[in-house]
Amino acid sequence: MKKTIIITGGSGKFAKSFKKFSKKYKILFPSKYELNILSPRSISKYLNKTKPNYLIHNAALSRPMSLHEKDISQSIKKNIIGTCNVVMECARLNLKIIYFSSNYVYEGTQGNYKESSPVKPPNNYAWSKLGGECSVQMYKNSLILRVCMTEKPFIHKKAYANVKLNFMFQEDAAKLVLKIIDKKGIINLGGPSQTIYNFAKKYNKKAHVLHITTKQEVDFLSQHKGNITFEITPQHLTIYAPDCYDKLGTYAQMNPPIRDRSHYD
């Protein structure tokens, strides 16, 4: 007999990635009207009716990121309180919950983070996902996945050449989740470390690269004029280190940093 999996946020793109695995599992994709994470009564009613073996909690407020700064009430309700409601109902039934968190809970300045690495969310979205994690960690029959994933094909028209991430596609993440569904604790889930530009180049015919600052980057990208465009900020074209620090002081401090004259020339 097939085991039953419930996936909250069932109308989203990622949830649909699980449909191809329906031969092995009975997978249910309730709408927010069938299972409202803001209503404990709604959650309880649906779980009592369907009697699942697993619940993958994917429902969340994500985009636009600016909304988490402008309207924190929605972020708190959907990503923190909603998760708390789901966890409490899972605990009542001793139901395994797999919670989709985010790699954004890490500061993101060093890379190669382990599950035991300190967390330092850089924005309100990340804080809301970490807030949801807190309730999940209190319930031992749980698995937290700190995921770095994106849609396929890569949907963005621009990509950073000096920022590395561990992107993986949603359909690949779905496949891995079902392999580790019985594990507990926290697992970082992502692909190999590479610049966003390299990831975009591999899967997109065209890409626009942001914030080029070095001669080596210009030389490299110039070899791919057919499908790559790039831009350089005015300050990297007009000033150079260390002279800029003598003239401007801390006003010249930025990220990416101002390069020396060899890149300016």
Side-chain angles (χ1 to χ4, degrees), residues 161-180:
N162 53 0
V163 176
K164 285 187 175 183
L165 281 176
N166 296 79
F167 274 137
M168 69 187 311
F169 287 122
Q170 291 176 338
E171 59 188 52
D172 297 323
K175 186 177 181 179
L176 282 175
V177 169
L178 296 179
K179 290 183 178 181
I180 60 176

Side-chain angles (χ1 to χ4, degrees), residues 212-222 259 262-265:
I212 298 303
T213 64
T214 68
K215 180 180 183 299
Q216 289 82 0
E217 290 172 332
V218 172
D219 291 342
F220 174 75
L221 293 172
S222 296
R259 309 297 180 177
S262 64
H263 301 283
Y264 172 84
D265 292 337

